[in-house]
Amino acid sequence: MANSIIADVAGPALGVERIGAMDVLRGVAVLGILLMNITAFALPFAANFDPTLGGGHTGVNLWVWAVNTALFEGKMRAIFSMLFGAGMLVLTSRFERRGLGAESADVYYRRLLWLLAFGLFHAYFIWWGDILFFYAVLGLFLYPLRRLPPRALIAAGLILLAIGAGRGLLSAIEMRAAQSAAIEADAAAKSGQTLTDVQKAAQADWTRRLREAHPTEDLSREIAAYRGGYLDALQQRAGFLASAQAQWLYHYFVFDIGGMMLVGIGLFKWDVFSARLSFRAYALLALAGYGIGVPLAAYAVRHDISSGFGPVTMAFGTVTHAIARLPVTLGHVAIVMLVWKAGLLRWATSPLAAVGQTAFSCYIIESLICTTVFYGHGFGLFAHLQRYQLYFVVAGVWVTLLIASPLWLSRFRFGPLEWVWRSLTYVRRQPMRHQPFVAPASPV
């Protein structure tokens, strides 16, 4: 009997315990992230970084790439990461309020280990661009930091983000040096000089870098695999992820996602995600975020285009985008909080809240729909559509999720995968049906 009572008390958040503003923001993130992920579903991997390698890079395609890169690339993932960090604090705080602080670590880490398993399954058997695995691994480090003051958390997050940007800057400087050395060697060869071993090595190094930036054979192989059957795609994913996941984790995401998670916990402690700050505070945050971030991002995009998407220019542009990313992200967050706080656009925020409440299921459904549309075991449109055409697919997925999520929650307490995840986390089958879903009321 005692164990049953504890299990009931130590259950998932329901109804009034949920933070409506966070659900809406999460809904924006899960839909918004498809603006960037769609190219990873539909085009070769390298085309996600260099638009000349797939989808078109002139006319309307160029504008689509530019707007997405400046305003959404990495920003939706940043919101997801910040909310993931904040979610850790929501979970553990709820346990502590119920007098179950000792159980919070057990539930939290079991939750992450199951998320890690889901992430690996998603990555290998559905889509290579999975982010859940990285959230699970990096989330393991958050629990001991939950009691730090917000200033310390945000400072630590900014340090991680700065380290990531610094590593990118060093990489860009190295690439520029390699290009300069190769140019000097080419000039010496044209003038009839006998090249030294160092000059020959410089030419070979730059040739290798250009081949990696424009991997013609790899592109053809990747296109053939994803236009083929399911087993062809599985083999392509498995071979790619065997090295890519570790490289992304240790060389990039530990700074990117880890930094944003810490910033998110700090901002949550400052009530940024709960719409409790003043209208003036959110307006100033939006103005500052967009005022700093958008010009920086636009500057980087302009230089990428003017260089013809040269690898050195784009390497330096990546650093500029990394600096612009957090301000633009905070601008997005502030706008959502303003809309929610003012009680505006209820026709939009209500379904967005439902998408946010079923974010795990919606994220996986996006993958299932898009791999069916683009991979050979479905409609086989991989590398067939132009970049702008991909956003008709995005619109279709958005409409589907915005309609389906509220309908589902009108009958059930959780999204289907949320129900599985929570049942596994609490080692107890969760009741599925509940009272009709009503989005939390906006504060006036």
Side-chain angles (χ1 to χ4, degrees):
M1 180 66 176
N3 288 338
S4 176
I5 293 173
I6 290 175
D8 289 337
V9 174
L14 293 169
V16 296
E17 287 187 309
R18 298 195 66 88
I19 301 174
M22 285 182 65
D23 280 339
V24 173
L25 185 59
R26 192 179 294 108
V28 169
V30 78
L31 295 183
I33 203 168
L34 188 58
L35 290 169
M36 301 312 304
N37 283 353
I38 192 67
T39 59
F41 283 115
L43 301 173
F45 174 75
N48 291 279
F49 309 99
D50 185 344
T52 65
L53 299 178
H57 62 284
T58 60
V60 65
N61 291 317
L62 180 62
W63 278 103
V64 167
W65 173 85
V67 170
N68 275 333
T69 301
L71 298 182
F72 302 109
E73 171 62 49
K75 285 77 174 179
M76 297 297 109
R77 186 177 68 248
I79 294 176
F80 250 142
S81 302
M82 290 192 291
L83 290 178
F84 192 92
M88 180 276 298
L89 195 60
V90 171
L91 174 69
T92 57
S93 297
R94 189 174 76 249
F95 271 80
E96 290 166 359
R97 286 195 306 270
R98 296 174 178 181
L100 296 169
E103 285 80 12
S104 64
D106 182 47
V107 170
Y108 176 71
Y109 282 107
R110 187 161 56 241
R111 185 172 184 262
L112 285 184
L113 291 175
W114 279 114
L115 184 65
L116 188 149
F118 282 125
L120 286 174
F121 183 89
H122 178 226
Y124 279 86
F125 292 98
I126 301 176
W127 180 53
W128 62 263
D130 169 80
I131 202 70
L132 304 177
F133 168 80
F134 302 104
Y135 282 174
V137 172
L138 295 171
L140 296 172
F141 299 93
L142 295 182
Y143 186 83
L145 307 177
R146 70 193 187 284
R147 299 190 188 278
L148 289 176
R151 290 183 184 275
L153 288 162
I154 292 173
L158 291 177
I159 289 171
L160 283 178
L161 293 172
I163 292 172
R167 286 170 58 89
L169 179 60
L170 291 175
S171 177
I173 291 172
E174 180 189 18
M175 181 172 288
R176 184 172 61 185
Q179 182 189 49
S180 297
I183 290 173
E184 291 177 3
D186 290 342
K190 287 181 180 180
S191 66
Q193 297 179 30
T194 301
L195 298 184
T196 65
D197 290 341
V198 172
Q199 289 173 317
K200 292 177 181 178
Q203 288 179 317
D205 177 55
W206 185 243
T207 299
R208 176 186 60 80
R209 289 173 185 264
L210 290 177
R211 190 183 306 116
E212 290 176 351
H214 294 81
T216 305
E217 293 183 7
D218 290 343
L219 288 177
S220 300
R221 190 181 308 114
E222 184 180 357
I223 290 171
Y226 287 127
R227 287 180 181 174
Y230 178 80
L231 292 180
D232 297 316
L234 175 63
Q235 184 178 13
Q236 172 70 23
R237 278 194 302 272
F240 175 69
L241 290 169
S243 59
Q245 278 191 325
Q247 291 177 359
W248 292 340
L249 177 61
Y250 295 113
H251 294 287
Y252 184 64
F253 283 145
V254 67
F255 308 109
D256 174 287
I257 293 176
M260 289 297 180
M261 284 180 173
L262 293 176
V263 170
I265 302 172
L267 293 178
F268 178 77
K269 289 190 173 189
W270 276 344
D271 289 330
V272 172
F273 299 134
S274 57
R276 292 176 183 169
L277 302 184
S278 67
F279 284 102
R280 182 174 182 272
Y282 286 119
L284 289 175
L285 182 60
L287 288 172
Y290 289 148
I292 295 170
V294 173
L296 282 173
Y299 172 84
V301 165
R302 179 177 177 275
H303 274 260
D304 287 344
I305 295 171
S306 64
S307 74
F309 302 100
V312 174
T313 301
M314 294 194 74
F316 279 100
T318 299
V319 180
T320 306
H321 283 299
I323 298 170
R325 182 166 167 245
L326 181 57
V328 175
T329 299
L330 293 178
H332 292 337
V333 170
I335 293 298
V336 174
M337 292 298 108
L338 281 171
V339 170
W340 173 258
K341 188 175 179 69
L344 301 174
L345 305 178
R346 290 292 295 164
W347 59 270
T349 57
S350 181
L352 281 170
V355 171
Q357 194 170 333
T358 58
F360 182 21
S361 295
C362 288
Y363 177 69
I364 301 300
I365 289 170
E366 286 179 349
S367 295
L368 291 173
I369 293 174
C370 290
T371 52
T372 300
V373 170
F374 294 110
Y375 287 6
H377 62 265
F379 297 103
L381 295 179
F382 189 82
H384 275 304
L385 300 183
Q386 294 187 56
R387 193 171 292 265
Y388 81 90
Q389 293 174 317
L390 302 179
Y391 294 91
F392 295 115
V393 179
V394 171
V397 174
W398 283 1
V399 170
T400 300
L401 296 180
L402 287 168
I403 293 174
S405 295
L407 288 176
W408 179 274
L409 289 177
S410 68
R411 300 185 63 184
F412 303 106
R413 303 169 80 189
F414 312 107
L417 288 180
E418 282 79 5
W419 176 79
V420 173
W421 189 19
R422 282 161 173 74
S423 296
L424 292 170
T425 294
Y426 293 98
V427 200
R428 180 170 176 264
R429 187 178 184 274
Q430 299 294 309
M432 191 62 165
R433 293 184 178 274
H434 77 152
Q435 296 298 317
F437 170 75
V438 177
S442 300
V444 179

